[in-house]
Amino acid sequence: MTETVVSVGLAVEEHLQIKKQVLSPVHPTGKEKRFCVVTGTHGDELEGQYVCWEVNRRIQENIHQLKGIVEIYPALNPLGVDSITRGVPGFDLDMNRVFPGEGENTMPEYVAHQIISDIQGASMCIDIHASNIFLREIPQVRINVNSAKELIPYARKINVDFLWVHGAATVLESTLAYSLNAIGVPTLVVEMGVGMRITEEFGHQLTDGIFALMKEMGIWEGETIEPKEPIICMDSEVGFLNANCPGIFLPCVKHWMNVKEGELIGRILNPLTGQVAEEVRSPMDGVLFTLREYPVVSPGSLLARVSDRKTLLRGGGKDGNLIRLDSAHKEERTQ
């Protein structure tokens, strides 16, 4: 059943409408858990559109296996999706910087407020994002360190390759995920793929994980995969590679592969002089989980991210606690 979450009048007798698909059990009891899948907060991030379609399709073809309520929000920023714009057209505003919003304010803040109110009370929310047009990301969950203890057990069931725990200072309080976690709705932020594109392989991987998590929560009774064990990484275990000069970046390694410290990642070429302006090398032994997709670079442009290989070997531990290394490389646990 399709429902309208919020409708706002626009110019020329048009309306901004945010809709959701509500899928319910054949024989509801009134005590069902709610599981929300949201995407389209940024209009140029389309990877989640395929996931919404695939989740919808699988449930409708096996509706008798559904034991909870699944709500699918394909476009929280429909104007951005329609115009291939990251933010809200006409407001020069990032939709993911206005949550939790206000009931009586600008249109984006009002819409954000209505979205939060609609999702409130859910048992779980998956907030799907893609990268921008410049970078390609492996399927990963990003978590605020303050929410790590609660969210890591869920994140390990969702079949992603990588789990990145950010320090509190790097997580914006104005995001949808932060606002939902603050009101007691466990929310996982998934990043994968590249902007303005759909990677079917990643879409199927995440969809499999969503069903595995729903089964763990008692929302789905059908067959599911065994989720892969993700790499779990802290901010301090990530190496960033940035361009030192302008030019054309050509990688010589593949995305999501092991690299060694000092190994050549790619070259920045100067088309004007015909010279290699810079050789880009890995700062550590690790796994290349972010790689630049758009070749034109300027000084400071992000080229790649590498996760410390020690994180790969530890795999985050089996008890759901976060394992990291201090400056002396001694293993310690963060509860």
Side-chain angles (χ1 to χ4, degrees), residues 154-212:
Y154 293 118
R156 294 176 63 169
K157 295 293 183 181
I158 208 168
N159 200 41
V160 295
D161 297 295
F162 192 77
L163 202 171
W164 187 358
V165 181
H166 287 274
T170 65
V171 178
L172 296 177
E173 297 183 5
S174 54
T175 63
L176 172 64
Y178 186 96
S179 299
L180 289 175
N181 279 306
I183 62 173
V185 179
T187 302
L188 300 177
V189 176
V190 177
E191 296 266 359
M192 64 181 190
V194 65
M196 297 189 185
R197 298 290 184 271
I198 288 177
T199 311
E200 288 190 49
E201 176 188 356
F202 290 168
H204 284 290
Q205 178 180 339
L206 180 58
T207 300
D208 288 342
I210 286 173
F211 278 89

Side-chain angles (χ1 to χ4, degrees), residues 74-221:
L76 296 189
N77 177 13
L79 295 180
V81 174
D82 288 346
S83 60
I84 323 175
T85 305
R86 180 174 179 82
V88 182
F91 289 85
D92 192 26
L93 186 67
D94 187 334
M95 184 71 179
N96 211 27
R97 299 295 180 270
V98 297
F99 290 99
E102 295 184 22
E104 297 180 5
N105 213 312
T106 64
M107 186 270 281
E109 289 179 304
Y110 170 74
V111 169
H113 176 75
Q114 295 300 109
I115 291 170
I116 291 289
S117 298
D118 197 73
I119 298 175
Q120 187 170 10
S123 302
M124 171 59 59
C125 182
I126 309 298
D127 181 16
I128 306 173
H129 292 260
S131 186
N132 52 39
I133 63 170
F134 303 102
L135 302 169
R136 180 175 292 276
E137 302 279 5
I138 64 168
Q140 60 194 268
V141 172
R142 298 183 181 180
I143 293 176
N144 182 343
V145 66
N146 293 332
S147 305
K149 184 175 182 179
E150 177 185 7
L151 295 181
I152 284 178
Y154 293 118
R156 294 176 63 169
K157 295 293 183 181
I158 208 168
N159 200 41
V160 295
D161 297 295
F162 192 77
L163 202 171
W164 187 358
V165 181
H166 287 274
T170 65
V171 178
L172 296 177
E173 297 183 5
S174 54
T175 63
L176 172 64
Y178 186 96
S179 299
L180 289 175
N181 279 306
I183 62 173
V185 179
T187 302
L188 300 177
V189 176
V190 177
E191 296 266 359
M192 64 181 190
V194 65
M196 297 189 185
R197 298 290 184 271
I198 288 177
T199 311
E200 288 190 49
E201 176 188 356
F202 290 168
H204 284 290
Q205 178 180 339
L206 180 58
T207 300
D208 288 342
I210 286 173
F211 278 89
L213 179 56
M214 289 197 298
K215 187 166 187 177
E216 179 77 12
M217 297 176 66
I219 295 171
W220 182 254
E221 286 192 340

